[in-house]
Amino acid sequence: MQKSPMTAQGLKRLEDELRQLKSEERPAVIRAIAEARSHGDLSENAEYHAARERQSFIEGRVLELESLISTAEVIDPTTLSGNRIQFGATVELVDEETDKESTYQIVGAHEADIKQHRISISSPLAKALIGKEAGDSVSVPAPGGDRTYEVLKVIYR
């Protein structure tokens, strides 16, 4: 089975979600199914069908999380150093066209969250950044045409 690179924080988020699904969501949906069954005819019981659908989603997500956790390869960015960008790096960039600065951390695919400024190692931007260092320019394909960024800083924290 192929290992998936992940930060310790990303692994913890997955483990927390799994724990919550198993200890709270799963028992709640079982209670909801039992309650809906007590109402009689299941063929026209919307509550029953909704609870079964929710149960199916929870069980699928539990299996997915267990698989992700079992194949996680935790990489601690604080143990990394150097000038070159690699997995776990936090990168400060400036868009060469707009002069807009942005900061991203390169993380595993299952922990990426653009709102939190975490981009997947498999994203076009991260792929373009890997191996670069401060002062380098990178061109990234985007829907509106290629974007060019200058790497301002590489941080491992």
Side-chain angles (χ1 to χ4, degrees), residues 10-148:
L11 179 61
K12 183 181 180 324
R13 277 191 293 279
L14 294 180
E15 289 170 338
D16 289 347
E17 181 183 352
L18 179 62
R19 195 169 12 267
Q20 194 252 346
L21 286 172
K22 284 182 166 183
S23 67
E24 295 174 26
E25 299 285 330
R26 191 185 262 169
V29 80
I30 290 170
R31 285 191 301 275
I33 289 171
E35 172 70 22
R37 275 191 174 141
S38 72
H39 294 236
D41 185 11
L42 299 181
S43 65
E44 295 181 20
N45 189 328
E47 291 171 2
Y48 174 78
H49 293 290
R52 289 298 305 236
E53 193 171 299
R54 177 77 182 140
Q55 182 184 38
S56 177
F57 170 80
I58 289 169
E59 295 306 320
R61 184 65 179 156
V62 164
L63 290 173
E64 179 183 20
L65 289 170
E66 287 174 341
S67 175
L68 290 172
I69 290 167
S70 71
T71 60
E73 178 184 359
V74 177
I75 297 172
D76 183 358
T78 62
T79 64
L80 305 173
S81 63
N83 300 326
R84 296 212 175 272
I85 298 170
Q86 56 187 324
F87 180 89
T90 298
V91 184
E92 291 180 14
L93 305 171
V94 63
D95 185 311
E96 292 185 348
E97 187 177 308
T98 65
D99 287 332
K100 182 177 182 250
E101 291 187 17
S102 48
T103 303
Y104 300 104
Q105 181 182 22
I106 300 173
V107 297
H110 300 286
E111 57 184 320
D113 182 348
I114 196 67
K115 292 177 186 165
Q116 299 294 320
H117 302 277
R118 292 189 304 260
I119 59 172
S120 169
I121 185 107
S122 59
S123 70
L125 178 57
K127 286 179 178 179
L129 289 170
I130 297 295
K132 302 292 191 260
E133 55 187 51
D136 288 349
S137 283
V138 296
S139 180
V140 182
D146 288 3
R147 305 297 303 236
T148 305

